[in-house]
Amino acid sequence: ILGGRKADPHVMPYMASLQLDGQHVCGGFLIAEQWVLSAAHCTEETDGKIFQVLLGAHSLTKPEPHKRLYRVRAQIPHPGSNIHNNKDDLLLLQLEEKAELNEHVQVLPFQREDRDVAADTVCKVAGWGTTSHSGHRPDELHSLERPVISRDVCNHRTRHDHTITEKMMCTDSRKKDTCKGDSGGPLVCNGVAEGVVTAGSRVCGNYKKPAIYTRIAPYVAWIDSVMASAAG
Ligand SMILES: NCc1cccc(Nc2n[nH]c3ncnc(Nc4cccc(O)c4)c23)c1
């Protein structure tokens, strides 16, 4: 997160850190006791390794009472996701067991009605992604409030030039923006997850490249069917 602030500890108890060999790779969030939603692009460069999911954390390294690392039983990328574009950039992770819920570990509801969030709505995004252009990786969760920008503005030829589909949404990226390692985290508007951070052009903090999110509502049927089919 560029230009954000250290989150107040445990005010986002749904946040997940997707890790490989103890290293934070991507964000994610708890959508059910045994399911985390993230971004399919997070599995690139992992050469088939399975993530572990850290829940209940504020600091990635310090011991904290409700922090717990979960093994992943299954990683299910959306069938339409691919390395060449941002389409269908969603990843479902089934935890080996149901997460133990408490004040530091909670499920975040996601939007089920397929209607655009109004432009200028201020939403919140959080993550352990880089906090500087030099790539500083924070130990503590950072958060940022950003206004939604309309798809028309985001699709302008000087911005994302008509690559933003009706299954995506954008927020202003001037100075305050998502960056490397924030992919997979939720965009929360009025307490509901509306989007999932996708890297898009990978540029951070440049107002000409607004932040892009995969909207969740268009994928409700897929999410529900995967969770129902794998129900333990
Ligand atoms: N703002 C959109 C967004 C959301 C999520 C991730 C991303 N960026 C990235 N995702 N993956 C990456 N691998 C390498 N470099 C990257 N961006 C980068 C890193 C240092 C300085 C800088 O100006 C940009 C990214 C960008």
Side-chain angles (χ1 to χ4, degrees), residues 128-157:
W128 287 275
T130 51
T131 53
S132 73
H133 283 288
S134 59
H136 174 71
R137 286 177 293 161
D139 178 57
E140 293 168 308
L141 184 65
H142 279 63
S143 71
L144 178 64
E145 294 202 334
R146 286 280 79 195
V148 170
I149 61 173
S150 73
R151 189 170 295 104
D152 285 353
V153 167
C154 200
N155 264 327
H156 193 271
R157 62 183 164 73

Side-chain angles (χ1 to χ4, degrees), residues 34-36 50-51 53 71-77 91-97 226 230:
Q34 205 161 346
W35 293 90
V36 167
I50 299 283
F51 286 115
V53 172
R71 295 197 183 298
V72 167
R73 178 178 300 171
Q75 277 179 192
I76 303 138
L91 176 72
L92 276 167
L93 301 105
Q94 182 183 29
L95 305 178
E96 273 288 7
E97 59 183 295
V226 168

Side-chain angles (χ1 to χ4, degrees), residues 130 132-135 177-183 197-199 202-205 209 211-212:
T130 51
S132 73
H133 283 288
S134 59
D177 194 11
T178 48
C179 201
K180 184 175 188 208
D182 291 323
S183 295
V197 176
T198 185
R202 293 188 157 190
V203 168
C204 307
K209 293 297 172 205
I212 309 171

Side-chain angles (χ1 to χ4, degrees), residues 13-189:
Y14 46 79
M15 281 304 292
S17 165
L18 271 53
Q19 308 203 338
L20 286 179
D21 305 322
Q23 284 272 41
H24 170 84
V25 171
C26 269
F29 60 107
L30 207 58
I31 60 167
E33 284 182 284
Q34 205 161 346
W35 293 90
V36 167
L37 184 61
S38 183
H41 278 261
C42 292
T43 60
E44 287 169 18
E45 300 152 27
T46 60
D47 93 85
K49 281 187 223 150
I50 299 283
F51 286 115
Q52 288 186 311
V53 172
L54 182 67
L55 295 177
H58 175 65
S59 160
L60 291 175
T61 59
K62 298 185 186 84
E64 293 172 334
H66 299 278
K67 209 169 140 177
R68 201 177 138 189
L69 197 58
Y70 287 84
R71 295 197 183 298
V72 167
R73 178 178 300 171
Q75 277 179 192
I76 303 138
H78 189 281
S81 61
N82 63 76
I83 58 168
H84 305 293
N85 60 42
N86 300 315
K87 288 193 174 136
D88 305 332
D89 188 17
L90 294 177
L91 176 72
L92 276 167
L93 301 105
Q94 182 183 29
L95 305 178
E96 273 288 7
E97 59 183 295
K98 285 187 177 181
E100 191 183 329
L101 302 184
N102 53 60
E103 74 242 281
H104 295 171
V105 180
Q106 285 293 320
V107 167
L108 174 66
F110 55 85
Q111 183 58 257
R112 290 179 168 271
E113 276 178 53
D114 191 351
R115 208 184 10 246
D116 280 333
V117 176
D120 298 330
T121 305
V122 175
C123 301
K124 184 157 86 166
V125 63
W128 287 275
T130 51
T131 53
S132 73
H133 283 288
S134 59
H136 174 71
R137 286 177 293 161
D139 178 57
E140 293 168 308
L141 184 65
H142 279 63
S143 71
L144 178 64
E145 294 202 334
R146 286 280 79 195
V148 170
I149 61 173
S150 73
R151 189 170 295 104
D152 285 353
V153 167
C154 200
N155 264 327
H156 193 271
R157 62 183 164 73
T158 61
R159 301 306 192 267
H160 286 299
D161 193 11
H162 309 293
T163 60
I164 307 300
T165 69
E166 79 288 353
K167 293 180 177 175
M168 299 171 190
M169 65 186 288
C170 300
T171 58
D172 177 79
S173 53
R174 190 171 164 283
K175 294 193 172 42
K176 302 175 174 203
D177 194 11
T178 48
C179 201
K180 184 175 188 208
D182 291 323
S183 295
L187 180 70
V188 184
C189 313

